[in-house]
Amino acid sequence: MQRDDIKTLFDQQAAGYDERWAKTAPIRDALHFLLRAVFARLPADARVLCVGAGTGDEIVELANRFPGWRFVAVEPSGVMLDLCRRKAEAGGFADRCGFHEGFLDSLPATSPFDAATCVLVSQFILDRDARIGFFRGIAERLRPGGVLASADLAADVASPEYEALLRVWLDMLLSAGMPAAGLDQIRQVYARDVAILPPAQVEALLRAGGFDTPVLFHQAGLIHAWFSTRADFT
Ligand SMILES: C[S@@+](CC[C@H](N)C(=O)[O-])C[C@H]1O[C@@H](n2cnc3c(N)ncnc32)[C@H](O)[C@@H]1O
């Protein structure tokens, strides 16, 4: 999707975003449970970059578990970012957070981060080289050896398994309260606006973007999550 379209889409969705996805919490919670373990060896004063922070789910989770960590939320949708900021204020950890409205390339230079998250973000970049550049932009903000935890929808959409899994995924969303009309919309959005690639291809993009050895640590339906380490590049 184009940058303006991303911002418009999530500005429009922001008000109902958390409620819309509330009943899929078991999926998010499992991802966050493992994410804590992926980041468990970071220093007690780690700095974490959250790209596509949305309404702040990853930050809330990590800030509550790791009271010495600091965060920078990067988010192009000002409305999503406002909700993220409000959650941080309500949770009492806003003083450990920076909030940047915009894309990563507009974030002023900082000292390198120990880790980064980008959960369900890179999938919106349809162009392969741009998606590699997105991962490269994150790698360049990490210290050598810094860890990225990323998640995206991934599947071989040309396979018969995809159609079967998509059906299960949409049934899951239906049971989680998504209206049937919304399901048709999701089907269209996946086909048109989301780059759902086979997991091996996402791993290749991560490597091309400057990350070593992506490790698939979680899969729930279409969502795949990897951790990978910033490669030693200059
Ligand atoms: C599906 S939401 C996920 C939000 C959050 N990470 C979560 O898991 O709850 C995707 C978010 O990424 C943001 N986003 C999309 N493309 C982005 C990009 N290229 N750079 C940074 N953020 C982006 C959107 O504005 C949106 O808030």
Side-chain angles (χ1 to χ4, degrees):
M1 293 175 74
Q2 300 300 313
R3 286 184 164 201
D4 286 352
D5 296 335
I6 286 280
K7 186 177 154 38
T8 305
L9 175 71
F10 284 97
D11 276 350
Q12 284 167 352
Q13 290 199 354
Y17 187 86
D18 285 352
E19 194 183 337
R20 186 179 198 200
W21 298 107
K23 288 192 180 156
T24 61
I27 293 176
R28 182 198 59 211
D29 292 348
L31 173 59
H32 288 171
F33 185 64
L34 283 163
L35 179 60
R36 271 150 43 193
V38 165
F39 282 173
R41 288 166 191 257
L42 293 178
D45 60 352
R47 293 177 57 254
V48 181
L49 173 67
C50 296
V51 183
T55 63
D57 273 357
E58 299 105 80
I59 294 182
V60 169
E61 170 68 23
L62 295 173
N64 283 329
R65 298 283 166 179
F66 300 100
W69 291 9
R70 307 185 73 81
F71 303 87
V72 172
V74 173
E75 172 54 55
S77 159
V79 193
M80 295 287 271
L81 190 65
D82 273 350
L83 292 168
C84 177
R85 187 186 285 106
R86 274 191 245 160
K87 279 187 196 168
E89 285 164 0
F93 51 83
D95 58 335
R96 291 192 279 132
C97 299
F99 301 93
H100 177 73
E101 182 179 338
F103 290 86
L104 184 58
D105 50 16
S106 65
L107 179 71
T110 64
S111 51
F113 291 89
D114 298 289
T117 62
C118 83
V119 175
L120 303 176
V121 179
S122 91
Q123 63 194 28
F124 295 110
I125 304 172
L126 304 186
D127 179 78
R128 186 179 183 278
D129 288 342
R131 198 164 168 184
I132 291 170
F134 171 81
F135 286 131
R136 171 68 59 163
I138 296 175
E140 286 171 353
R141 300 268 184 174
L142 290 175
R143 63 169 166 74
V147 186
L148 168 67
S150 60
D152 282 302
L153 302 187
D156 178 355
V157 296
S159 68
E161 290 85 352
Y162 175 65
E163 191 46 44
L165 183 56
L166 181 61
R167 208 163 45 240
V168 168
W169 187 252
L170 294 177
D171 282 348
M172 177 276 293
L173 293 178
L174 196 59
S175 74
M178 189 78 62
L183 297 186
D184 285 345
Q185 192 193 0
I186 285 185
R187 214 177 239 284
Q188 285 167 21
V189 166
Y190 284 2
R192 191 190 55 216
D193 298 326
V194 183
I196 302 179
L197 300 179
Q201 285 191 33
V202 180
E203 290 166 16
L205 297 181
L206 281 160
R207 281 198 193 87
F211 289 94
D212 277 337
T213 325
V215 178
L216 182 68
F217 69 90
H218 177 65
Q219 180 188 352
L222 291 177
I223 295 177
H224 292 62
W226 291 266
F227 65 86
S228 41
T229 305
R230 196 200 109 134
D232 192 10
F233 64 85
T234 49

